[in-house]
């Protein structure tokens, strides 16, 4: 089952079911994604029945799906926790900047709390004040949850994953170092994240969902040029482990979003999913970074292709523009 949220002038948009080939949509009998997640046991069979009808061509009120009209699948999340589950990414940063290793990072996931009140749609512009802030894209995967109990184990946590999403977690690299030094974590360095148009249930991934990971490459282009295709299967911490980490001392409410962090592979031939990682590799191999960060007018495109070669989540396709005022 594939779900999206279309713009209708409201904060939470209107939930629709989308066909497997992303060509058609039908209005869901449940108003919003938030409502669906908060009552998933009731919502899932109703939405699945509509999905089946849509994919078989028997849905009565189907209309052409327009990804440009899509908001983030969940436009607002009560909680957005982003991990750093690919240790290769952290290792490259550590080596490039001569940082001290983080004690226990190979056993305990790193995670910060992001702002979940203003997510962007796949085709929404990335509006920011200045290119001097070091504008970067970050391709990653995420999962949307139902209610998770305190102390949930990693294995039990997998059962609380209801939908998988694809994310561009925009970062401002020039602002990050100071915020990390304070010990309080990111705030200004993490503006609004953007999401591919469609969220998918685990069955849509088929064999590509194994061991709590999306075992598919994330294809990234910058200004029409290949940038990387790292595979999500190289997560050192599974989504089950990330969820269990977040739920160690508290419950997680339905609609919580958990991110994987930047998809990163050991093999250099896979490229990167963020500019900072490419710069780190340049520093390690050439002694200095040569790739600059994004400029106004730049375009980033991210997409995951399923085993059938079709776009799984739809594409993220954004331009960077200067914010007004």
């Amino acid at each position: 089952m594939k779900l999206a949220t279309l713009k209708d002038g409201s904060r939470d948009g209107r939930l629709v079911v989308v066909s497997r080939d992303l060509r058609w949509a039908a209005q869901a009998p449940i108003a919003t994604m938030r409502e669906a997640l908060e009552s998933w046991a009731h919502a899932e069979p109703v939405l699945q029945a509509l999905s089946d009808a849509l994919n078989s061509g028997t849905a009565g009120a189907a209309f052409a799906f327009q990804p440009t009209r899509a908001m983030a699948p969940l436009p607002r999340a009560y909680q957005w926790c982003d991990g750093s589950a690919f240790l290769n990414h952290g290792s490259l940063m550590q080596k490039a900047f001569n940082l001290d290793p983080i004690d226990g990072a190979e056993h305990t996931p790193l995670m910060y709390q992001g702002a979940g009140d203003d997510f962007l749609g796949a085709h929404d512009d990335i509006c920011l004040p200045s290119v001097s802030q070091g504008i970067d894209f970050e391709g990653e995967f995420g999962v949307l949850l139902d209610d998770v109990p305190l102390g949930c184990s990693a294995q039990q946590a997998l059962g609380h994953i209801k939908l998988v999403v694809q994310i561009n977690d925009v970062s401002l690299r020039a602002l990050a170092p100071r915020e990390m030094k304070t010990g309080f974590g990111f705030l200004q360095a993490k503006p609004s994240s953007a999401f591919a148009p469609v969220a998918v249930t685990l069955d849509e991934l088929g064999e590509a969902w194994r061991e709590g990971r999306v075992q598919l490459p994330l294809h990234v282009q910058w200004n029409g040029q290949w940038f990387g295709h790292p595979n999500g299967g190289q997560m050192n911490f599974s989504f089950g482990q990330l969820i269990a980490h977040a739920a160690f001392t508290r419950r997680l409410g339905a609609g919580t979003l958990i991110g994987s962090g930047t998809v990163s592979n050991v093999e250099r031939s896979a490229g990167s999913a963020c500019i900072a990682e490419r710069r780190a590799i340049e520093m390690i191999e050439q002694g200095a970074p040569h790739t600059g960060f994004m400029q106004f007018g730049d375009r980033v495109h991210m997409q995951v292709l399923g085993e059938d070669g079709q776009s799984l989540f739809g594409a993220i396709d954004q331009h960077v523009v200067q914010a007004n005022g």
Side-chain angles (χ1 to χ4, degrees), residues 19-43:
S19 62
R20 189 165 287 113
D21 61 8
L22 304 182
R23 294 180 59 197
W24 302 99
Q27 185 167 298
I30 297 163
T32 67
M33 179 69 83
R34 180 180 296 179
E35 182 181 339
L37 289 166
E38 289 178 343
S39 58
W40 191 255
H42 163 73

Side-chain angles (χ1 to χ4, degrees), residues 202-217 231-233 304-307 312:
L202 297 180
D203 60 294
E204 293 289 339
L205 293 167
E207 291 300 314
W209 177 257
R210 298 192 308 276
E211 300 175 339
R213 297 163 172 85
V214 180
Q215 310 270 352
L216 289 170
N231 195 297
V304 176
L305 303 180
E307 294 174 342
L312 188 62

Side-chain angles (χ1 to χ4, degrees), residues 181-194:
K181 288 178 182 178
T182 66
F184 274 77
F186 299 119
L187 180 66
Q188 293 175 336
K190 289 291 186 178
S192 298
S193 298

Side-chain angles (χ1 to χ4, degrees), residues 229-258:
H229 58 261
N231 195 297
Q234 288 193 24
M235 281 176 74
N236 297 86
F237 299 101
S238 71
F239 275 112
Q241 289 171 295
L242 294 179
I243 297 164
H245 177 74
F248 184 62
T249 58
R250 56 181 167 168
R251 297 173 294 172
L252 306 180
T256 290
L257 170 67
I258 302 288

